[in-house]
């Protein structure tokens, strides 16, 4: 729960700064080098340059400036008019607003986030964009406040890595998806092992790095939740200079650790499908409050 509180504080502060025009803090998602918003995030190895000009033109500047993702799920996911979409950890609302245009007036998009300031920023962005078919919900991705089998597509952008109970997130995603529904998320993923100095660092967990699953674990956990047709497609590979950028300022020996993780952290687009035929062995577990004792966190692992 301490990690969740730290996440709320960090992303609450990020939202406050975007709302006041100050720009994102220096230690938001991806570590220490992010400056302000998508344009200024060109100095950030993870959040920089994710959206092209045509997408940027579709949304308010404040939504783009609050972008803290590590990919562009709406560009990679297939979204059809009339579909219902859910964005896990919707932040300032960028992917919700882009999806809302794609599913059209007969479709519906929900953004779910646990941080009040992000929800307020997202709602303001929705209002400015004049989007009517989107609703922001307060809640945790480990206990999604939507009924079983109610969503066609789940998207998410750099949020699942923050969860201390990823098994539960995947079970919840499976529960709310309709049979045949699709999961299409961007996330940070690890290839191989990383030093304990990284996996045990709370700042790096909150910065979207330390909580990242290995690619094999991602596949295993999605499969255990009931998903099929699981694919992990790398979209960005972080080299030694990127590793230096997200490790600096944390009191770590960057010269020693950066070479050990060069090429191991990637951003990836992860696709999976809820099969049409229900699996009896997958229990539905919606609703109850998340307890960190069930899951993992930097402290459990160290
Ligand atoms: C790295 S930001 C990404 C925001 C957005 N997806 C984007 O691309 O800009 C993470 C967001 O997820 C939210 N978040 C993190 N953990 C969460 C959880 N367990 N439940 C709900 N929201 C969560 C944070 O409040 C924050 O707004």
């Amino acid at each position: 729960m301490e990690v969740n509180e730290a996440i709320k504080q960090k992303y609450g502060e990020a939202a406050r700064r975007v709302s006041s025009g100050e720009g994102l803090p220096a230690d938001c998602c991806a570590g220490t080098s992010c400056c302000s918003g998508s344009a200024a995030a060109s100095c950030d190895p993870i959040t920089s340059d994710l959206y092209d000009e045509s997408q940027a033109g579709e949304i308010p500047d404040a939504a783009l400036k609050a972008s803290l993702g590590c990919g562009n799920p709406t560009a990679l996911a297939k979204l059809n008019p009339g579909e219902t979409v859910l964005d896990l950890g919707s932040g300032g609302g960028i992917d919700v607003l882009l999806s809302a245009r794609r599913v059209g007036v007969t479709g519906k998009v929900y953004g779910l986030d646990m941080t009040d300031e992000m929800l307020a920023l997202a709602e303001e962005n929705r209002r400015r964009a004049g989007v009517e078919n989107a609703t922001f919900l307060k809640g945790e991705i480990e206990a999604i406040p939507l009924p079983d089998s109610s969503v066609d597509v789940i998207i998410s952008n750099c949020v699942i890595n923050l969860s201390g109970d990823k098994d539960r997130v995947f079970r919840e995603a499976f529960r709310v998806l309709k049979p045949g529904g699709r999961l299409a998320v961007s996330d940070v993923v690890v290839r191989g092992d990383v030093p304990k100095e990284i996996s045990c660092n709370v700042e790096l967990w909150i910065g979207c790095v330390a909580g990242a699953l290995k690619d094999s674990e991602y596949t295993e956990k999605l499969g255990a939740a009931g998903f099929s047709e699981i694919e992990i497609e790398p979209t960005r590979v972080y080299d030694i200079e990127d590793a230096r950028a997200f490790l600096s300022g944390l009191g770590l020996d960057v010269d020693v650790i950066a070479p050990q993780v060069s090429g191991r952290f990637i951003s990836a687009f992860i696709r999976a499908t809820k099969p049409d035929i229900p699996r009896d062995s997958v229990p539905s577990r919606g609703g109850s409050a998340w307890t960190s004792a069930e899951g993992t966190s930097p402290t459990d692992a160290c």
Side-chain angles (χ1 to χ4, degrees), residues 97-281:
L97 300 181
L98 289 169
S99 303
R101 305 253 189 243
R102 299 266 299 279
V103 298
V105 289
T106 56
K108 174 80 192 176
V109 184
Y110 294 99
L112 174 64
D113 207 288
M114 67 179 180
T115 304
D116 288 324
E117 296 86 343
M118 276 296 181
L119 287 164
L121 176 63
E123 179 54 23
E124 176 58 18
N125 288 332
R126 184 199 66 74
R127 200 190 52 74
R128 278 196 202 148
V131 165
E132 300 286 346
N133 58 338
T135 299
F136 292 98
L137 304 171
K138 180 168 177 172
E140 297 183 353
I141 62 174
E142 296 81 4
I144 299 173
L146 285 175
D148 295 359
S149 304
S150 56
V151 170
D152 295 293
V153 183
I154 289 183
I155 60 166
S156 183
N157 199 347
C158 227
V159 180
I160 294 172
N161 66 72
L162 293 169
S163 175
D165 194 347
K166 293 166 177 75
D167 291 318
R168 185 150 181 186
V169 174
F170 296 141
R171 285 198 300 265
E172 278 290 89
F174 189 87
R175 177 183 67 78
V176 300
L177 277 174
K178 296 175 186 172
R182 290 106 65 202
L183 181 91
V185 306
S186 294
D187 209 358
V188 177
V189 174
V190 184
R191 299 191 295 197
D193 294 317
V194 294
K196 276 224 151 170
E197 287 91 329
I198 290 190
S199 53
C200 295
N201 187 301
V202 176
E203 291 287 314
L204 281 172
W205 186 287
I206 296 163
C208 303
V209 172
L213 290 174
K214 284 187 195 176
D215 46 4
S216 54
E217 290 172 324
Y218 225 113
T219 307
E220 211 176 282
K221 286 178 184 293
L222 282 170
F227 285 97
S228 63
E229 301 174 277
I230 302 161
E231 283 173 37
I232 299 182
E233 177 190 334
T235 51
R236 206 172 265 193
V237 178
Y238 300 107
D239 64 16
I240 186 162
E241 289 314 315
D242 299 326
R244 281 181 181 286
F246 55 71
L247 295 173
S248 66
L250 298 175
L252 300 172
D253 190 338
V254 174
D255 290 333
V256 171
I257 300 174
Q260 293 177 36
V261 299
S262 179
R264 299 229 169 142
F265 284 98
I266 63 168
S267 285
F269 183 57
I270 298 122
R271 290 182 179 85
T273 305
K274 175 170 176 172
D276 264 327
I277 303 156
R279 258 183 36 162
D280 295 342
S281 54

